[in-house]
Amino acid sequence: MYKGKRKYIEIWQKVEIAEFYIQHQNEMSMRDVAAKFHVNSFSSISEWVNKLDELKKSVKSDKKLKLESFTQFPELEKELVHWFTAIREQGIQVLRSTIEEKAKSLAAEMGLARFGCGDKWWQGFRTRNNLSFRKINSSSIKPIEKEAELVRQYLDDLASLLPQFVPSNIYNFDETRFDWDVKSKFTYDFKGTQRILGVQSAKMNHFITVMLMIRADGEKMPALLIFQEKNGQIPNLVRERLNIPENVIIKSNKSGYISDQILNDYLRTILRRENQLLIYDQAGSHKTIMISNAISDLDATKIVIPGGCTKYLQPLDALVIANFKSKTTDFRIKFQTEQIERRSKRTGNLKALDRQQLINIASKAWDAVSPQLVRKSFELTGSYGVNHPKIFSHQVNMKKLII
């Protein structure tokens, strides 16, 4: 029972009062119920009854602790955050119990007898300092200092090679995955809907591999599209009907991934035999004897980006691939929007893109990548010009890797 008039009534109390009134409305008036529970205005009960379902959903959140936006022990919290930051920079796992034990230790050192590590303090500390319990997705085997050393060594080697080549003879190649459809496990629907349907196309889980090659003067070589085919080859009848643009080359195999044989054919088709520099990463298909022989036959000089550093040093990873994939996504979403009413008569699934449509999308997206963006990618990664960049602006993490 509630004693005296209350200025504030908890949500769970509102639910209890509203349910009491519903059960006894034939016996007691709303005014009587208000008097029984010491509610200031009986009209409030009418509002609670009308919003009873919403109030029930809010009961759980109402019982959350009221967190303080400030701390009563600022010096302790400052030292605790400093310690936490130093520990996490080393990659050491930190649990709640670890933080609480350290907080107690600091409180003892500072003589803070009033300090206590209750649940309210912990929730407040976590909220004030924007902490969350995260899943570990990287090991500390190669710390940031090691990456910095690899970057410095690579740029030293690159700086000694760049004066020997003009921008029109400096190439970078890499591959990326290209999904047939724009995939998402989420959709907008009305609130309260219990069954969230998701109709998929027949190619929802299919993909192709796209090999891209760019040049330091802003030129783009034809994109290589590798289709995944059950028999390893696109059916002859289908291939004969394909209209392949000039900026696209088509290959296929059973896996859909690039192989050293496909890469070998691509390099020998695109590149001339001349003095040129090839920049690429340590992907398995790039390191085979067949590829080494192809590079040697083309009289090309190679420089391999160290593992784990492509996000800093590979021109394609700096800007180009992200821009290319963004444009392909835009084109695919436009196609799906136009075809949203078309459904397969046999399965009820959405119509999937066919090979020709996919080729056209890749061709348009690759053509839309500007030469200025390509040149900027080489500049950002230190691959265009002999001077080391002091800092790479395309990656926030590179602020810690001052060259």
Side-chain angles (χ1 to χ4, degrees), residues 306-318:
C309 299
T310 56
K311 56 186 175 182
Y312 310 131
L313 302 173
Q314 178 139 262
L316 280 164
D317 285 348

Side-chain angles (χ1 to χ4, degrees), residues 122-133:
W122 164 250
Q123 298 292 353
F125 174 78
R126 190 179 69 171
T127 302
R128 286 190 296 271
N129 295 285
N130 197 29
L131 301 184
S132 62
F133 200 53

Side-chain angles (χ1 to χ4, degrees), residues 229-366:
E229 300 293 338
K230 187 175 182 179
N231 297 321
Q233 296 292 332
I234 297 176
N236 292 332
L237 186 60
V238 175
R239 179 178 277 276
E240 290 173 2
R241 294 177 179 176
L242 292 177
N243 181 19
I244 303 175
E246 293 183 357
N247 66 342
V248 168
I249 296 174
I250 302 301
K251 295 286 184 180
S252 61
N253 58 23
K254 291 183 179 181
S255 68
Y257 293 102
I258 193 165
S259 64
D260 56 353
Q261 181 61 59
I262 292 178
L263 179 56
N264 173 71
D265 296 341
Y266 179 69
L267 293 176
R268 293 181 184 274
T269 301
I270 297 298
L271 301 177
R272 303 181 301 273
R273 186 168 182 173
E274 60 180 348
N275 185 36
Q276 54 199 337
L277 177 64
L278 301 183
I279 301 171
Y280 57 91
D281 59 29
Q282 297 192 32
S285 59
H286 303 173
K287 300 188 294 182
T288 63
I289 296 175
M290 182 180 292
I291 300 305
S292 296
N293 292 338
I295 292 173
S296 178
D297 293 343
L298 292 166
D299 289 337
T301 302
K302 65 179 181 180
I303 181 166
V304 182
I305 299 171
C309 299
T310 56
K311 56 186 175 182
Y312 310 131
L313 302 173
Q314 178 139 262
L316 280 164
D317 285 348
L319 296 172
V320 177
I321 288 180
N323 188 262
F324 169 75
K325 296 183 82 168
S326 174
K327 294 182 185 305
T328 61
T329 299
D330 292 342
F331 288 135
R332 283 177 290 169
I333 289 175
K334 183 178 180 181
F335 168 81
Q336 290 179 352
T337 303
E338 293 173 350
Q339 304 297 324
I340 201 71
E341 298 298 331
R342 294 179 58 188
R343 301 282 291 275
S344 169
K345 294 181 180 179
R346 184 179 63 181
T347 64
N349 289 342
L350 293 173
K351 286 285 186 181
L353 291 163
D354 59 32
R355 295 180 184 84
Q356 185 63 64
Q357 290 167 328
L358 202 62
I359 290 170
N360 293 342
I361 287 175
S363 175
K364 289 179 181 178
W366 189 226

